[in-house]
Amino acid sequence: MITVLRIGHRPDRDKRITTHVALVSRVFGADRIIVDKVDDKLARTIDNVTRKFGGKFEIGFGNYMEEIRKFKGTKVHLTMYGMPLESKIKEIKKSEDIMVIVGSEKVPRIIYDVSDFNVAVKNQPHSEVSALSIFLDRLGRSKELNGELRIIPEERGKRVLRIPGRDECIALLEKYGADERLKRHSIMCSRVALKIGEGCNSDARLLEAGALLHDIGRTVTHSIFHGVEGYRILKREGMDETIARFCSTHVGAGLLKSTARKLKLPDQDYIPRTIEEKIVCNSDTLLNGDRVVKIEEITEDYRRKGLYSEIPRLKRLYSYLEDKCGFSIDELIKLNEQ
Ligand code: SAM
């Protein structure tokens, strides 16, 4: 648990800088910030960012001496007068529970005495925002922050991906007339996908949305075109390509361009590329309605339908994810009973 204690906040003068102290805390791995003067506007701004961009970051208010007295872990005061960060960081890293204290104007003498470490990020005056970000970065406790919005890195442009939540996805299925069977299948697909995704570095919110929406095209047709139809629906709904592609890339183990041509689908390949697309595609494959079945049953079914050429790709995708995410089919089958 990392707590940042911001002392000397003056709501009228320090609005921007305390906001930045809180934003830095959230992004670089702190779990909460305590500010020594109540500032509702500040709390609203930070809660808003956390809701949109993710994580469990909290903001609270309290008297700084009381907060320090209550705190049982290691207290690190950042000050230009302290010992160089490089000489102390190894020792500080041994603590699980850390309170990082930053000031604004002149910091009271007592803070130097009650802190376990007085640490400088270079013995030069600069700012609480820079000192805190460098300190937290060196501490190395930042974690994935998966909210509704993701910034997709671009060389030049600005691209922000919004991922719909579970309720929004289900409401969308209903808007297009999904029956109970389709909803049950989609919900089970999301449970399987989330379970597989636990074992590897994947985006849980994206997985859930992709799995819930992958079959929305079945509200139009149950033919092989349902993937493309689903893609069109989601694009019409203003969703990003990243979400819409779950529809077009989940059919079979993904379709090669040559297969797509034979099936008279729009001329392109429909191969799942990202880890999330691969997991959703594989999760769907493992489902018979809303029940998880073994891969052998699926391949047998493909054989019966004469889809021989698809079997090796199906198995390859399964083994790839088994290897990468370490999922066990027995664990997935247990989901049938829950
Ligand atoms: N002279 C002030 C004092 O009493 O430390 C400095 C105020 S400075 C504008 C605001 C805060 O930035 C400080 O309380 C401290 O937490 C942080 N800070 C500034 N320079 C720092 C440095 N070189 N190393 C660590 N923290 C620093």
Side-chain angles (χ1 to χ4, degrees):
M1 171 80 142
I2 308 288
T3 303
V4 171
L5 179 63
R6 163 51 157 176
I7 65 178
H9 172 60
R10 298 153 298 179
D12 47 332
R13 290 181 54 183
D14 297 329
K15 187 169 126 5
R16 251 172 81 79
I17 197 132
T18 305
T19 304
H20 289 183
V21 167
L23 292 177
V24 158
S25 305
R26 172 185 165 272
V27 171
F28 289 91
D31 301 278
R32 60 178 184 150
I33 185 167
I34 300 169
V35 180
D36 65 347
K37 288 237 168 38
V38 178
D39 186 336
D40 291 335
K41 198 150 177 259
L42 171 70
R44 274 199 302 279
T45 306
I46 301 307
D47 287 344
N48 216 5
V49 172
T50 303
R51 191 174 44 74
K52 283 192 186 144
F53 287 92
K56 294 201 170 94
F57 188 72
E58 283 177 7
I59 177 160
F61 301 93
N63 173 284
Y64 67 83
M65 275 322 290
E66 268 173 35
E67 295 296 333
I68 290 172
R69 250 183 239 118
K70 269 196 308 204
F71 186 75
K72 297 282 174 285
T74 302
K75 297 177 273 287
V76 181
H77 170 217
L78 298 183
T79 164
M80 67 177 180
Y81 304 107
M83 298 301 289
L85 174 62
E86 294 67 30
S87 68
K88 295 290 171 189
I89 189 72
K90 211 167 152 196
E91 223 179 320
I92 296 171
K93 274 186 172 186
K94 289 181 191 155
S95 311
E96 273 302 311
D97 202 7
I98 299 173
M99 174 181 268
V100 191
I101 307 168
V102 291
S104 59
E105 270 192 324
K106 197 167 162 47
V107 172
R109 170 75 232 170
I110 189 160
I111 299 295
Y112 292 76
D113 299 329
V114 294
S115 296
D116 300 296
F117 296 91
N118 290 291
V119 169
V121 180
K122 307 261 184 224
N123 293 102
Q124 294 286 336
H126 49 96
S127 130
E128 50 272 49
V129 177
S130 55
L132 182 64
S133 40
I134 291 170
F135 174 78
L136 288 176
D137 185 55
R138 299 283 153 83
L139 195 61
R141 302 264 175 96
S142 58
K143 37 198 168 275
E144 279 291 311
L145 298 167
N146 284 337
E148 184 184 329
L149 299 181
R150 303 273 183 296
I151 293 172
I152 311 290
E154 293 267 302
E155 292 284 358
R156 283 189 180 75
K158 291 180 182 175
R159 191 165 158 220
V160 179
L161 165 66
R162 194 184 78 81
I163 304 172
R166 182 191 154 87
D167 292 350
E168 190 180 338
C169 293
I170 293 177
L172 200 60
L173 285 172
E174 286 167 352
K175 175 177 167 187
Y176 282 86
D179 58 17
E180 284 308 308
R181 206 167 152 222
L182 178 54
K183 279 201 284 181
R184 276 203 309 275
H185 165 74
S186 309
I187 290 168
M188 192 58 170
C189 187
S190 73
R191 294 177 63 206
V192 174
L194 287 170
K195 188 84 199 155
I196 296 177
E198 272 174 16
C200 47
N201 191 11
S202 62
D203 184 325
R205 189 172 167 112
L206 187 54
L207 270 181
E208 187 173 47
L212 286 170
L213 295 173
H214 76 282
D215 256 352
I216 195 165
R218 284 193 183 270
T219 58
V220 177
T221 173
H222 285 291
S223 76
I224 196 89
F225 281 84
H226 75 272
V228 177
E229 287 297 341
Y231 175 90
R232 286 182 188 142
I233 291 176
L234 295 189
K235 290 297 271 190
R236 246 195 342 262
E237 287 289 332
M239 297 229 181
D240 191 277
E241 182 76 9
T242 314
I243 313 285
R245 271 182 56 87
F246 283 104
C247 299
S248 47
T249 61
H250 81 272
V251 179
L255 302 171
L256 297 169
K257 197 170 178 177
S258 52
T259 318
R261 245 180 227 153
K262 277 187 217 146
L263 295 166
K264 307 227 175 333
L265 286 164
D267 196 19
Q268 60 173 74
D269 77 61
Y270 296 84
I271 303 293
R273 295 223 156 68
T274 63
I275 185 73
E276 290 83 8
E277 286 173 2
K278 286 178 180 160
I279 292 175
V280 169
C281 177
N282 184 64
S283 306
D284 180 48
T285 309
L286 291 176
L287 285 172
N288 183 354
D290 60 356
R291 291 191 70 73
V292 182
V293 291
K294 292 202 167 175
I295 183 83
E296 292 75 17
E297 271 187 54
I298 309 292
T299 50
E300 192 42 49
D301 189 43
Y302 270 53
R303 241 176 241 119
R304 269 200 303 275
K305 289 179 183 156
L307 298 166
Y308 302 104
S309 62
E310 295 303 305
I311 295 173
R313 295 185 42 256
L314 205 73
K315 284 187 173 168
R316 265 205 307 278
L317 178 62
Y318 183 91
S319 315
Y320 169 84
L321 291 174
E322 215 180 12
D323 201 38
K324 188 150 179 101
C325 311
F327 77 83
S328 109
I329 188 70
D330 293 332
E331 284 296 311
L332 298 183
I333 286 176
K334 276 190 205 152
L335 296 175
N336 291 338
E337 315 312 326
Q338 292 159 18

